Structures are given as structure tokens and as C-alpha cells.
Amino acid sequence: MTWSWNRLVRGVALPACPFLLSLPRIMLKKLDFNVRVPKGTVVKDFFDSSGFFKVHQNLDFVGKSKKSIEVKRKIEKIAKSDLPVLILGESGSGKTLVARLIHELSIRSMRRFFDENISAIPEHIAESELFGSVEGAFTDARNRAGYFEMADGGTLFLDEIGEASVNIQKKLLKVIETGEFRKVGSPETSKSDVRLVFATNSDLREKIKRGEFRADLFYRMANLVIEIPPLRERKDDIPELCERYLSKKNYFKCFSDSALDELCTFDWPGNVRQLHNTIERAVFNSDDSGLILPEHIEIY
């Protein structure tokens, strides 16, 4: 069986992916996934280092620790469903990556993936950004599609959902329940077939107690929940994370054992994002040397 680069590697056309994931893992590993990419590089293995299917050579949840493997298993399982998903995790832990993987491994992978941070949308335009608007609805309003309309058939990822206003929470609840919404200024109801993925680094149960978040919306969002462990709880993954990042950025360098040991002693409150920034500084500090040493590491 030979698959084209576009179909299997880039994830542009992955309708077969859910079928592949439904097969026993031992059967998948017997299939011939040799693919010749445009530059002549042969990609022989479409499974990551811990045996999980990779959507893209640079798009997978890196790590072989027990907690990372649990996350990968859950991603594969959740991708087969179409229910709303709530991703929980600290800032920088990889929530957007997990949302993207869920989309790429789902039957919606041929359609668009929209990523929007709720906290970054000004309150006065949040409703029109999400649901669209019609001309004359407000000053300078024009007919425009919102994210729910543009993501129809695909996946809409709403990050930092804990920062949504009460008004937006109420409207999101209706969309989850009925698939229906109204553009700002329109009396007509629109429908959207979209897979919703939410994420937050907030404690939503505490927000519910304080009256800052609707309990009914929380229970609707939390049909399926995936919790990403902080990097300090999966330090065994740090060497592989470093190796993969250097490879992805085409840095022809490597960390010495003592440098890796130093990285593994830190607790990483900024998680993987902080680690990546530290790697960038270490690469810069190492100048022309191909080996990154402890003295090249600066953690902020």
C-alpha cells in the first residue's frame, strides 16, 4: 500500500485516518507506509517513538513518559467522536497542539480548523466575531461571517474559554445545544455543523462558585475532557522535546548530557513554551559550537 505525501503526511486529505485508527495497532504496523516526498526523502514510519500514529512529521505530542502516552491515547480516542471537548492545562503546556491533533485525526480533517483566543477578543465585538453580523447592526457594521459560519463542517477551537463574558457564555450554550445562532442584527437563525473544542488554564469549578462561569455551559463543554500534565510532571520527556525542537528548527546542534541534566532539574512554570525559549537562547549562546553545554543555558 503506497500513500501520496499530500494524503498521509500533510494531513490535507485524511479521510482514511479515522479508519486507520480503528484498526488494531499490530495490523497498522504491518502496513507499508513508505512515502517519497518531493525532495526524495523516504519517510518509513508514520508512528511516533511511543507507537502512536503521527498526522505530520512535525505535528505530534512529543514524549514517552507514562503521562504523555495517556494523553496520546486520549487524543486518538476523542478524535473518533464528534462531541464537544474541554482541554485543561497550564499556560504553555500544549493545549493548541492537542486541539489541532484532535481535528487532524478526525473525519473533519479535510475541512478548516479555526483557532481563536476568547480573551484576545474585545468584549464589544466578541459576539460579531463569533457569530457574524449584518449590515446596519451597529456603526460600520457590514455583512460578514463569524467563526461559527466559517468553521462549518470543520473544527472551532476556542481557547481561554474561562474568560468569556456572561453574554457570550449564554450564546455558546445555545449553539452547543441546538447548533443554531443568530448573526448580530439579524432576526434569522443560522445553523452550523462544527466540532467544538474548548481550552482553559482556569479552574472553572471555582469560577462557577464565584458566579463567573455558567455551570450549565461547563457541563455541556465537558462531554469529553483531556487534561495535559505540566512539564514538571513529565520531565522524562525533556531530552526528546529538546531533540525534536532542534530538528524542527534545523539547528545542527545537540545538548550535552550535563546540559540535559540541568534542564531536567528545573520545574518549568512556563511549561513547553518556556523550554522552547530556553533552547533558542542556548543555541544563540553556543555560537558555532555543535554541542550545547550547561554554561550556554539561561532560564528565565
Side-chain angles (χ1 to χ4, degrees):
M1 181 185 296
T2 302
W3 291 78
S4 72
W5 169 257
N6 282 339
R7 286 184 64 84
L8 193 54
V9 181
R10 294 191 183 280
V12 173
L14 278 171
C17 201
F19 162 71
L20 291 172
L21 292 174
S22 69
L23 294 175
R25 194 175 306 279
I26 190 170
M27 186 182 297
L28 284 171
K29 289 187 175 181
K30 290 182 179 179
L31 297 179
D32 179 11
F33 283 117
N34 289 344
V35 178
R36 187 165 292 278
V37 302
K39 292 184 179 180
T41 303
V42 177
V43 181
K44 295 181 179 179
D45 191 4
F46 284 90
F47 298 88
D48 67 13
S49 58
S50 50
F52 289 85
F53 189 85
K54 288 201 302 185
V55 176
H56 188 285
Q57 57 185 357
N58 286 326
L59 185 65
D60 66 328
F61 195 87
V62 177
K64 292 180 283 188
S65 66
K66 182 178 179 181
K67 291 197 173 187
S68 292
I69 289 175
E70 288 174 357
V71 169
K72 294 179 187 183
R73 284 202 182 104
K74 206 155 191 180
I75 289 171
E76 284 190 354
K77 189 172 183 179
I78 285 175
K80 299 175 188 177
S81 169
D82 214 32
L83 292 171
V85 183
L86 177 61
I87 303 173
L88 303 175
E90 295 179 3
S91 178
S93 59
K95 297 187 292 296
T96 300
L97 170 63
V98 169
R100 166 85 52 184
L101 284 168
I102 290 171
H103 169 74
E104 295 292 351
L105 290 171
S106 75
I107 59 174
R108 296 177 181 267
S109 61
M110 293 180 66
R111 305 302 292 269
R112 297 185 70 179
F113 172 87
F114 279 88
D115 172 7
E116 185 57 48
N117 189 316
I118 290 291
S119 65
I121 308 176
E123 171 59 26
H124 67 284
I125 64 169
E127 187 175 348
S128 62
E129 287 291 304
L130 291 172
F131 306 111
S133 62
V134 297
E135 189 173 356
F138 50 85
T139 304
D140 297 328
R142 55 188 174 83
N143 290 320
R144 64 182 299 273
Y147 286 113
F148 274 89
E149 184 176 350
M150 292 188 290
D152 188 41
T155 302
L156 177 58
F157 172 51
L158 297 178
D159 199 3
E160 302 302 339
I161 189 63
E163 305 306 313
S165 68
V166 174
N167 179 52
I168 293 299
Q169 290 178 40
K170 181 173 66 174
K171 294 184 180 297
L172 286 173
L173 179 63
K174 181 180 179 182
V175 178
I176 295 175
E177 290 178 337
T178 66
E180 298 178 346
F181 63 93
R182 285 182 181 174
K183 291 186 175 183
V184 176
S186 174
E188 299 179 358
T189 298
S190 300
K191 296 205 73 169
S192 178
D193 172 26
V194 62
R195 191 351 167 20
L196 287 169
V197 181
F198 304 94
T200 184
N201 59 14
S202 302
D203 187 335
L204 293 184
R205 293 186 184 277
E206 282 299 316
K207 280 182 170 283
I208 291 171
K209 290 178 182 178
R210 297 196 299 264
E212 298 173 1
F213 202 85
R214 294 180 63 117
D216 48 2
L217 176 59
F218 172 76
Y219 295 125
R220 287 288 185 180
M221 293 191 312
N223 273 278
L224 300 172
V225 178
I226 181 166
E227 190 165 0
I228 306 174
L231 186 54
R232 63 182 174 274
E233 294 181 5
R234 56 184 191 102
K235 289 185 178 181
D236 289 348
D237 295 334
I238 288 176
E240 186 179 0
L241 283 164
C242 291
E243 179 184 346
R244 286 292 301 277
Y245 187 80
L246 290 171
S247 174
K248 178 181 177 181
K249 300 287 284 189
N250 292 319
Y251 293 139
F252 298 103
K253 296 175 180 284
C254 64
F255 282 87
S256 68
D257 290 343
S258 55
L260 286 174
D261 288 342
E262 182 165 331
L263 291 176
C264 290
T265 62
F266 193 65
D267 278 341
W268 302 105
N271 293 291
V272 178
R273 184 183 296 127
Q274 184 184 16
L275 175 63
H276 287 169
N277 290 338
T278 300
I279 295 172
E280 289 286 355
R281 278 192 297 274
V283 169
F284 176 81
N285 291 337
S286 63
D287 296 320
D288 295 331
S289 173
L291 189 63
I292 299 174
L293 304 172
E295 54 263 33
H296 298 143
I297 297 173
E298 298 175 350
I299 301 176
Y300 296 105

